[in-house]
Amino acid sequence: MSEFRVIRIEGDTPYDRGVQYGQEAREEIFKCIRTYQEYFIAARCMPWEEALIYTDQFAAYLEKDFGRELEEVRGIADGAGVSFREIMLLNCRYEFQHFPVKNECTAFVLLREANVDHHVYLGQNWDNRPYMLPHTIILHITEEDGTRIMGMTEAGQLIRNGFNSYGVGLCANSLISTRDREGLGVPANFMRRHMLSMRSLDEMVAGLINSRRTVSNNYCMASSENRAADVEAVPESPWILLPEKNLLTHANHLIVQKELEASQGSKFRGELLYSLLDQRNGQITVDYLKECLKNHENYPDSLCAHAPEGETDLKKLWQTNASIIYDLDTLEMDICYGPPCQGTYRKYSL
């Protein structure tokens, strides 16, 4: 059975933690860099070397308000024995490869009243290119003040999604809007890492709303205080959604400001997941949630995504790389490597 490798880091400074990360995940970081070197030009129409130089602008922009995260990036680079620019580019991947965007991810929150055990659950099916799996890891971070964070990431990136010891967490999915543009803003990986050091849902939402961005992203967030919020983080026009009937789901299209929608993909995965969960609202179990995440309705644009059978074109290969459930009460994570219909969920504790 395939599973993700767990990288555990701790230290008195962000740089120290970054060095540990780079040393422990060196092999996966090398794989990640090689993979993006191969696919970057086709996806972005920009030579790798040119993109590396362009990251200098992001580093200068982030220095004031995201200095801790930058120090962690510098540590990752030194620990892995690669350049700072290369790790910066991995952490700006979403912004550089945003045009065009393929459907990625279906996120959810289940508040206490929806579930038999009365726990708060947050999670997602992470859909993306299968070539990312060999360099994807679980990252467990202990900060100098004792804050613990655990989540998923591509090796070398700060973090993709996760939760912390304060019982708050986030999952993110791509969005594309007519307001997206090239330019300087806070890259999504920096924003996610910054938010996962925070102690409350309100702090997360405020930090997200007040940060400058140039491309859209969706953030589904929850707290063990039995609260949740979803922010459609469109440049200059973020919008907050709240749970309905103790459920919150979101995929890759704008729910509120539909006139700004620019995605051409399927627009039903979030709604389908909500419908499936609502059928047992108040009586949902973790096993039922897992069955919902394995659903194949509307294949190949299904909740459990697979590349079309016999497809070999790398540009069309797409699947659920991980299915993730965070229990914000027990501070545990259930995660399946690859499409959940083909694998087994494993449990990890923060």
Side-chain angles (χ1 to χ4, degrees), residues 64-305:
K64 179 182 176 183
D65 296 322
F66 290 81
R68 288 174 58 83
E69 290 75 23
L70 276 175
E71 281 304 296
E72 205 161 283
V73 166
R74 290 189 177 97
I76 296 169
D78 289 348
V82 300
S83 74
F84 171 71
R85 283 174 168 172
E86 286 175 308
I87 300 300
M88 276 297 296
L89 187 50
L90 295 184
N91 280 284
C92 297
R93 189 277 299 176
Y94 181 76
E95 286 67 30
F96 273 80
Q97 294 187 306
H98 191 72
F99 308 99
V101 173
K102 172 77 174 176
N103 290 331
E104 294 183 37
C105 315
T106 307
F108 60 85
V109 176
L110 286 66
L111 297 182
R112 299 193 192 286
E113 293 79 4
N115 308 307
V116 169
D117 61 11
H118 299 293
H119 290 194
V120 178
Y121 292 101
L122 163 76
Q124 70 183 137
N125 273 2
W126 172 43
D127 302 341
N128 217 305
R129 305 291 185 185
Y131 62 65
M132 294 179 176
L133 267 176
H135 61 249
T136 296
I137 59 174
I138 295 172
L139 188 60
H140 187 289
I141 305 166
T142 302
E143 297 186 328
E144 64 270 29
D145 65 356
T147 299
R148 287 169 289 124
I149 302 165
M150 184 163 64
M152 287 200 60
T153 190
E154 293 178 70
Q157 295 179 355
L158 290 167
I159 205 155
R160 175 177 190 85
N161 58 58
F163 68 117
N164 66 26
S165 50
Y166 304 110
V168 293
L170 68 87
C171 291
N173 4 320
S174 64
L175 288 177
I176 182 166
S177 79
T178 57
R179 292 192 176 175
D180 296 353
R181 63 192 184 282
E182 298 192 48
L184 288 177
V186 181
N189 281 315
F190 279 82
M191 192 71 241
R192 297 164 187 167
R193 177 65 181 87
H194 190 66
M195 291 167 67
L196 283 169
S197 291
M198 296 177 178
R199 301 190 177 202
S200 71
L201 180 65
D202 289 338
E203 190 180 2
M204 276 188 172
V205 172
L208 179 58
I209 293 294
N210 293 322
S211 292
R212 173 184 167 83
R213 64 190 55 83
T214 57
V215 297
S216 302
N217 206 195
N218 188 76
Y219 292 81
C220 189
M221 299 165 284
S223 162
S224 58
E225 297 176 318
N226 201 32
R227 299 175 60 211
D230 185 282
V231 175
E232 295 184 338
V234 174
E236 301 172 3
S237 187
W239 199 279
I240 302 174
L241 294 87
L242 298 176
E244 294 185 11
K245 297 168 62 177
N246 302 305
L247 301 173
L248 180 58
T249 62
H250 204 292
N252 301 105
H253 64 280
L254 291 165
I255 294 176
V256 181
Q257 302 177 87
K258 296 180 180 180
E259 70 278 7
L260 301 180
E261 177 66 52
S263 173
Q264 301 301 313
S266 170
K267 304 185 189 303
F268 305 109
R269 283 174 293 119
E271 289 81 353
L272 174 59
L273 180 57
Y274 185 96
S275 175
L276 292 170
L277 293 172
D278 194 39
Q279 290 175 23
R280 295 199 186 177
N281 204 332
Q283 297 296 319
I284 297 172
T285 64
V286 173
D287 286 341
Y288 179 70
L289 173 57
K290 290 175 181 178
E291 289 305 310
C292 293
L293 296 173
K294 298 175 184 179
N295 186 278
H296 292 112
E297 188 174 334
N298 301 322
Y299 174 84
D301 294 321
S302 48
L303 284 167
C304 184

Side-chain angles (χ1 to χ4, degrees), residues 301-318:
D301 294 321
S302 48
L303 284 167
C304 184
H306 302 263
E309 187 174 352
E311 182 60 71
T312 58
D313 185 345
L314 292 177
K315 295 179 181 179
K316 296 181 180 179
L317 293 179
W318 203 265

Side-chain angles (χ1 to χ4, degrees), residues 52-69:
L52 289 175
I53 296 172
Y54 192 69
T55 63
D56 293 345
Q57 301 178 55
F58 280 93
Y61 177 80
L62 293 165
E63 195 69 53
K64 179 182 176 183
D65 296 322
F66 290 81
R68 288 174 58 83
E69 290 75 23

